[in-house]
């Protein structure tokens, strides 16, 4: 950490998260563009009140059931996700019996290795997406994200894609996969296309998804993602109205 942030600071947690991204960038985990993506996330987090909303809690429940029911689930990881919650990624993979695959938008061997190393240091046994012999291409994507592991994302039935660009989510849906995403922007293409969108900061939501997944629930629940996203937007409006009263 570069800054000595006093715990009494009103935005202590969010400044700490920002510092994790900055040190992730300095350690070759995060792309330059990842810092911009984080800034966008911070703005949306501010709008939702920097806390987990009721609609996000409902999406987390649906996501845990989807992961528990999956036959071949994969947690796709990028630079920002790994910089923010490496330990939680390993924990979630263990509890839900999911594979972990590195899949980068701004791909480079250097970053892939740094990401794989940090995950291994945090306890991961196998990281997919590192072996060119096992790779294949997913149709409908122009970016480096099209390169996927045959035994991972390519053959998965459920894929968790955090902080994502829209193209891949659309391509994965066309390939008939169920998609869970974390995205603080409820209006992004990924948020709108996924089967379950968790509109929450991944640092809060991962912890909740882990504790929810420990329940190992497989009961059927009906979850309407579009309806839930509408509720999220209403929650944001309500938060802003409340704040406006105090201006
Ligand atoms: O590591 P790479 O090369 O795979 O690149 C990763 C980034 C994130 C740079 C890449 O996927 C990208 O450019 O993503 P976008 O299109 O900027 O989308 C990122 C989305 O994540 C935006 O809608 C942000 O609001 C959201 N976001 C940012 N930080 C968080 C977040 N959502 C949840 N938790 C966050 N901490």
């Amino acid at each position: 950490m570069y800054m000595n942030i006093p715990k009494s600071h009103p935005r202590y947690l969010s400044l700490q998260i920002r510092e994790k991204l900055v040190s992730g960038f300095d350690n070759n985990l995060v792309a330059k563009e990842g810092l911009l993506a984080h800034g966008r996330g911070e703005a949306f987090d501010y709008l939702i009140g920097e806390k987990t909303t009721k609609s996000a809690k409902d999406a987390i429940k649906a996501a845990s059931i989807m992961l528990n029911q999956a036959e071949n689930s994969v947690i796709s990881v990028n630079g920002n996700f790994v910089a923010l919650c490496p330990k939680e990624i390993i924990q979630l993979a263990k509890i839900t019996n999911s594979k972990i695959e590195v899949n980068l938008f701004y791909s480079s061997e250097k970053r892939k290795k740094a990401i794989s190393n940090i995950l291994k240091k945090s306890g991961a046994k196998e990281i997919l997406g590192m072996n060119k012999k096992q790779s294949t291409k997913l149709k409908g994507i122009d970016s480096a994200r099209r390169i996927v592991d045959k035994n991972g994302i390519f053959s998965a039935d459920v894929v968790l894609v955090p902080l994502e660009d829209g193209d891949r989510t659309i391509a994965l849906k066309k390939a008939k996969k169920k998609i869970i995403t974390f995205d603080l922007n409820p209006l992004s293409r990924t948020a709108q296309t996924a089967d379950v969108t968790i509109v929450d900061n991944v640092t809060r939501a991962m912890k909740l998804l882990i504790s929810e997944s420990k329940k190992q629930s497989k009961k059927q629940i009906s979850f309407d993602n579009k309806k839930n996203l509408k509720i999220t937007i209403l929650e944001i409006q309500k938060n802003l109205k409340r704040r406006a009263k105090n201006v």
Side-chain angles (χ1 to χ4, degrees):
M1 293 288 151
Y2 302 102
M3 265 180 72
N4 202 0
I5 311 158
K7 279 202 171 152
S8 56
H9 192 287
R11 302 200 62 241
Y12 173 75
L13 284 178
S14 115
L15 290 174
Q16 250 196 343
I17 300 171
R18 187 186 289 178
E19 288 300 304
K20 278 191 187 172
L21 254 291
V22 173
S23 68
F25 173 74
D26 287 343
N27 292 319
N28 290 314
L29 301 173
V30 175
K32 256 188 229 156
E33 295 81 353
L35 297 175
L36 303 176
H38 183 73
R40 204 136 42 108
E42 273 189 357
F44 279 105
D45 206 5
Y46 199 76
L47 297 182
I48 67 168
E50 293 176 335
K51 60 179 177 19
T52 307
T53 58
K54 162 84 172 60
S55 65
K57 284 182 190 159
D58 289 345
I60 287 169
K61 212 171 261 173
S64 76
I65 293 172
M66 195 175 266
L67 283 169
N68 281 328
Q69 286 176 344
E71 300 210 332
N72 185 9
S73 51
V74 174
I75 302 174
S76 176
V77 299
N78 63 22
N80 289 44
F81 193 30
V82 172
L84 290 176
C85 26
K87 290 203 176 89
E88 288 83 0
I89 293 169
I90 315 298
Q91 272 179 290
L92 185 67
K94 273 191 190 145
I95 293 164
T96 60
N97 201 17
S98 301
K99 294 170 184 162
I100 300 173
E101 179 167 341
V102 181
N103 182 281
L104 303 181
F105 188 83
Y106 302 101
S107 189
S108 79
E109 283 307 309
K110 196 173 166 191
R111 280 184 61 228
K112 274 166 79 173
K113 277 199 188 117
I115 287 170
S116 168
N117 287 345
I118 201 96
L119 289 171
K120 286 201 168 146
K121 255 194 206 162
S122 306
K125 291 208 172 71
E126 193 187 13
I127 304 293
L128 302 180
M130 303 301 293
N131 184 348
K132 280 190 184 140
K133 283 186 194 146
Q134 265 177 230
S135 71
T136 184
K137 283 180 190 158
L138 204 69
K139 278 190 203 149
I141 313 177
D142 295 325
S143 76
R145 285 211 196 279
R146 69 185 182 283
I147 315 289
V148 290
D149 198 294
K150 281 181 201 158
N151 300 321
I153 291 170
F154 189 73
S155 49
D157 55 350
V158 174
V159 189
L160 172 66
V161 295
L163 289 72
E164 182 70 21
D165 64 285
D167 290 344
R168 183 164 75 130
T169 312
I170 293 167
L172 288 169
K173 283 302 303 164
K174 279 194 183 144
K176 307 254 181 290
K177 296 173 194 311
K178 293 246 184 278
I179 303 299
I180 300 166
T181 191
F182 296 104
D183 194 333
L184 276 160
N185 177 2
L187 297 170
S188 78
R189 281 187 307 150
T190 293
Q192 296 283 324
T193 315
D195 296 281
V196 178
T197 303
I198 301 166
V199 182
D200 196 15
N201 198 308
V202 78
T203 55
R204 293 189 296 267
M206 272 296 274
K207 290 193 175 78
L208 296 172
L209 182 54
I210 289 166
S211 45
E212 201 57 51
S213 299
K214 280 184 185 160
K215 296 179 189 164
Q216 301 282 325
S217 172
K218 289 200 177 185
K219 71 173 178 201
Q220 294 295 334
I221 57 156
S222 65
F223 181 80
D224 182 336
N225 201 44
K226 290 266 181 190
K227 197 169 153 195
N228 204 52
L229 286 170
K230 280 189 186 139
I231 296 172
T232 306
I233 293 164
L234 292 175
E235 285 166 339
I236 292 174
Q237 278 178 350
K238 219 167 147 188
N239 181 39
L240 291 180
K241 267 193 195 155
R242 197 171 42 82
R243 300 286 299 264
K245 274 190 194 151
N246 300 325
V247 171

